Amino acid sequence: MYLKIDHVDKTFQRGSQRTEVLRGITLDIEKGEYVSIIGHSGCGKSTLLNIVAGLTNATNGGIILEGRQVDEPGPDRAVVFQNHSLLPWLTVYDNVRLAVDKVFWKTKSRAERDAWTLHNLDLVQMVHAKDKRPAEISGGMKQRVGIARALAMEPKVLLLDEPFGALDALTRAHLQDSVMALHQKLGNTVMMITHDVDEAVLLSDRIVMMTNGPAATIGDVLEVPLAHPRKRLELVSDPAYIKCRAAVLKFLYERHRYVEAA
Amino acid sequence: MNMTVAKKKLTGEVVSLPQPAGAETVVQLPVTGRPVLKKLGAFALTAATNIVPPMIVIALLLGIWELLCSNSGATLPPPSTVWNDTKELIFDPFFDRGGIDKGLFWHLSASLQRVALGYAMAAAAGIALGTLVGQSTWAMRGLDPIFQVLRTVPPLAWLPLSLAAFRQGQPAAIFVIFITSIWPIIINTAVGIRNIPQDYRNVALVLKLNPLEYFYKIMVPSAAPYIFTGLRIGIGLSWLAIVAAEMLIGGVGIGFFIWDAWNSSHISEIILSLIYVGIVGFVLDRVVVAVSSIVTRGTAKA
Ligand SMILES: Nc1ncnc2c1ncn2[C@@H]1O[C@H](COP(=O)(O)OP(=O)(O)OP(=O)(O)O)[C@@H](O)[C@H]1O
Ligand SMILES: [Mg+2]
């Protein structure tokens, strides 16, 4: 197995106040697999992703990537943040170039790094806006640039924290299609957090459903037996798709209903 | 339609946002005709809206002042007398008869040199200390209370101590500038560093930026708007302090020039100096604002 989340517990402690957020999370992800994590708000999805990214440390357990334990952040686990987090003082090109320069300063020449930056902007169709600043492009475009920046690092694992959460439905569908095409083309290993049942079923090979906090854990894992490439419109009437969708909905709204003040 | 009104309307809609560069260019004037003429017309209109109103107000104020001070019992000279008394100083700012008998240019440039030195040191030290305080919780806990107390000490209160330490007017004045302008720079820099969004820190962590790269690729650009706020307050304070400090230490400088004019009852010269001090202070402020708007271009929130 490629990426292993091994018995991860997380307890936040401030003073005498302890919040147990995650308990006993174990998950194996294969190379090239697209895994979604779905669960109610506040159950600890972002916390789990941050632990995999190395931005937060697990209280117990750990993350093993290609047989080696990782406990600090690095470009091998590139993150696309929910709110794009592009640096507003850099142009679109420079935002991606910063990552490219940092990762490939030894292995690629200047010209190669320039070409690689443009290549990744081209993957998300953003070359036309390369000299604009983040404030001058739309939300969907920013998210594309965030994805290009992450892809440009050639990460072993791509971590997406609700990458389309802040977008309107149309832009969202459009970006989902782009991400699907990119995954088809590049075969990255992806771990994506989402709130959206359709998004999870459409994009993933497996859907990991988390129980409610506190002390959330993995409630169920659903295989999505749909062949790639998938077509949004054709899926709507596909029995397998409908079954998966129903299973996730059932998990979220029957077995683990969102409880106020959990 | 009046152009300032249009501008106000436009910026009024984005109150909470820092004004994006080039917002002014959005304002289109409904002037028809050839492009050159249009441009000329726009320029003339801008000039008119920005220059005419203050001119009218100044003329009015001068008139009132003239009326109030023309009777024989007045303690202050009317503008016409000021003009007659100081014509020579205005038209010949470069004379130098040795000692402190110099043109206003030399006095102002002496003051500006002191400010430049003290302010430059304050900027360098202030940004460094502010970074330290903003970056490290322990430095903040230790230093912040001290800064908060020291920054309320009035500039001139430092002067006797400074004179005692340096035993010379020149370095003592420069130190007073330094100590006056450093506090807002430290405090604003620290706030700017502390307010670097977690997102940017996360980006730096994922990219594994080293401390030096983090400093100039994330920290400085992200905190720049705050740093420049501090620098702007600082330059204003240093110009406030230099005049007062120079009155006490003597020598060449606009502060002492004013004091000397008072001692020899040249009230007109005092008034002229005040105008110059005001204009120079205004220009200094504008310079910092201009540098700031060039440097922080694009740091507005995306
Ligand atoms: N630094 C922290 N200190 C204390 N508690 C925290 C901290 N970060 C997160 N938590 C708690 O951990 C829980 C999980 O938070 P997390 O952000 O992982 O949720 P989430 O599943 O991503 O929610 P959402 O879907 O709304 O983004 C929350 O109850 C939150 O209050
Ligand atoms: Mg979250």
Side-chain angles (χ1 to χ4, degrees):
Chain A
M1 118 245 15
Y2 191 63
L3 172 71
K4 185 177 178 68
I5 303 173
D6 193 12
H7 295 94
V8 164
D9 301 333
K10 179 68 191 177
T11 305
F12 285 107
Q13 185 148 22
R14 211 185 61 225
S16 59
Q17 190 156 346
R18 293 164 55 90
T19 338
E20 189 178 6
V21 177
L22 299 174
R23 182 188 289 168
I25 305 266
T26 296
L27 183 66
D28 293 344
I29 296 175
E30 297 299 329
K31 188 166 183 167
E33 202 178 6
Y34 197 118
V35 174
S36 294
I37 313 251
I38 198 164
H40 288 292
S41 181
C43 72
K45 305 182 296 292
S46 297
T47 307
L48 180 61
L49 187 108
N50 283 342
I51 292 173
V52 176
L55 295 168
T56 309
N57 283 331
T59 313
N60 295 309
I63 306 300
I64 294 157
L65 178 60
E66 282 191 318
R68 237 182 273 157
Q69 178 160 0
V70 286
D71 47 14
E72 57 173 24
D76 56 346
R77 282 149 293 139
V79 187
V80 177
F81 299 93
Q82 171 158 10
N83 46 355
H84 68 77
S85 47
L86 300 177
L87 303 176
W89 52 89
L90 296 180
T91 60
V92 162
Y93 175 88
D94 286 333
N95 264 290
V96 179
R97 181 65 187 263
L98 177 67
V100 172
D101 280 347
K102 196 53 201 164
V103 177
F104 298 107
W105 64 280
K106 240 191 281 184
T107 48
K108 283 192 199 316
S109 71
R110 269 182 94 81
E112 283 170 331
R113 292 197 301 256
D114 173 64
W116 180 243
T117 305
L118 289 172
H119 169 74
N120 280 281
L121 282 173
D122 189 41
L123 283 180
V124 296
Q125 289 130 41
M126 281 302 294
V127 176
H128 64 94
K130 71 184 176 66
D131 294 321
K132 294 210 162 119
R133 286 169 198 268
E136 296 160 359
I137 59 178
S138 74
M141 288 163 132
K142 279 180 227 175
Q143 214 50 278
R144 283 172 189 280
V145 179
I147 292 169
R149 176 172 67 183
L151 288 175
M153 297 178 210
E154 281 198 327
K156 292 180 178 151
V157 182
L158 191 59
L159 302 171
L160 310 171
D161 189 351
E162 292 181 39
F164 318 121
L167 304 175
D168 65 278
L170 275 176
T171 315
R172 206 180 158 104
H174 194 56
L175 267 187
Q176 286 165 352
D177 289 340
S178 314
V179 166
M180 222 172 357
L182 283 173
H183 183 242
Q184 185 75 11
K185 184 167 164 185
L186 306 173
N188 313 84
T189 309
V190 184
M191 181 172 148
M192 177 181 80
I193 286 176
T194 180
H195 270 135
D196 184 329
V197 178
D198 290 296
E199 179 171 292
V201 180
L202 178 67
L203 294 174
S204 336
D205 299 314
R206 266 192 305 160
I207 303 175
V208 174
M209 294 172 272
M210 289 182 65
T211 63
N212 288 332
T217 188
I218 294 176
D220 213 345
V221 180
L222 180 79
E223 296 272 347
V224 181
L226 293 166
H228 292 281
R230 297 171 182 171
K231 293 249 161 58
R232 182 182 300 277
L233 287 175
E234 290 165 17
L235 284 181
V236 178
S237 51
D238 187 316
Y241 177 85
I242 295 170
K243 234 175 100 188
C244 287
R245 201 171 172 277
V248 179
L249 283 172
K250 202 165 164 158
F251 178 92
L252 289 176
Y253 297 102
E254 260 177 36
R255 288 168 54 194
H256 292 277
R257 259 203 317 249
Y258 183 64
V259 239
E260 290 292 337
Chain B
M1 194 184 63
N2 178 311
M3 183 150 160
T4 23
V5 173
K7 251 193 223 171
K8 283 221 180 81
K9 259 193 204 146
L10 232 137
T11 47
E13 288 165 5
V14 284
V15 195
S16 59
L17 289 170
Q19 188 165 335
E24 269 99 302
T25 55
V26 180
V27 180
Q28 291 283 328
L29 285 164
V31 183
T32 44
R34 281 177 301 175
V36 181
L37 276 181
K38 226 198 276 193
K39 258 192 193 156
L40 264 178
F43 181 77
L45 202 63
T46 323
T49 47
N50 289 329
I51 294 172
V52 172
M55 283 298 168
I56 296 173
V57 174
I58 289 171
L60 269 173
L61 287 177
L62 285 176
I64 296 169
W65 176 9
E66 184 75 45
L67 279 178
L68 286 177
C69 295
S70 333
N71 61 328
S72 50
T75 50
L76 295 178
S80 52
T81 317
V82 173
W83 171 252
N84 284 327
D85 288 352
T86 59
K87 250 194 306 202
E88 268 176 59
L89 282 171
I90 295 171
F91 290 122
D92 185 13
F94 297 112
F95 72 85
D96 185 353
R97 300 196 199 100
I100 56 160
D101 192 6
K102 291 179 165 48
L104 276 170
F105 171 82
W106 301 111
H107 287 288
L108 280 169
S109 87
S111 300
L112 278 172
Q113 274 169 29
R114 293 189 183 110
V115 166
L117 258 171
Y119 180 70
M121 290 192 288
I127 292 173
L129 275 170
T131 307
L132 180 71
V133 172
Q135 201 39 22
S136 135
T137 324
W138 281 105
M140 187 187 84
R141 285 190 193 144
L143 292 171
D144 194 57
I146 301 173
F147 291 164
Q148 296 296 344
V149 171
L150 288 184
R151 81 187 172 92
T152 65
V153 175
L156 281 190
W158 290 101
L159 189 60
L161 189 68
S162 175
L163 276 169
F166 293 105
R167 300 189 176 275
Q168 266 177 18
Q170 182 73 353
I174 291 170
F175 176 77
V176 168
I177 296 307
F178 171 82
I179 205 78
T180 306
S181 52
I182 195 168
W183 309 114
I185 300 176
I186 292 178
I187 290 166
N188 280 283
T189 305
V191 171
I193 300 286
R194 233 172 293 156
N195 280 353
I196 296 175
Q198 188 60 42
D199 292 338
Y200 302 166
R201 296 180 195 269
N202 285 344
V203 169
L205 285 169
V206 169
L207 291 179
K208 286 204 159 160
L209 298 185
N210 62 39
L212 193 68
E213 287 169 325
Y214 181 67
F215 179 74
Y216 70 87
K217 292 206 162 133
I218 308 280
M219 220 141 88
V220 170
S222 176
Y226 293 88
I227 297 176
F228 273 102
T229 306
L231 288 175
R232 191 173 170 196
I233 301 173
I235 194 78
L237 288 181
S238 14
W239 194 238
L240 286 182
I242 189 68
V243 174
E246 282 175 349
M247 285 188 175
L248 297 179
I249 61 163
V252 181
I254 193 69
F256 187 70
F257 179 85
I258 295 175
W259 193 244
D260 193 41
W262 158 245
N263 281 331
S264 25
S265 306
H266 294 150
I267 308 298
S268 298
E269 290 183 8
I270 298 180
I271 291 170
L272 178 69
S273 315
L274 293 193
I275 294 168
Y276 277 10
V277 168
I279 291 173
V280 172
F282 175 75
V283 170
L284 287 178
D285 185 60
R286 287 291 109 188
V287 168
V288 176
V289 170
V291 173
S292 145
S293 67
I294 294 168
V295 174
T296 63
R297 189 167 30 100
T299 46
K301 279 268 180 301

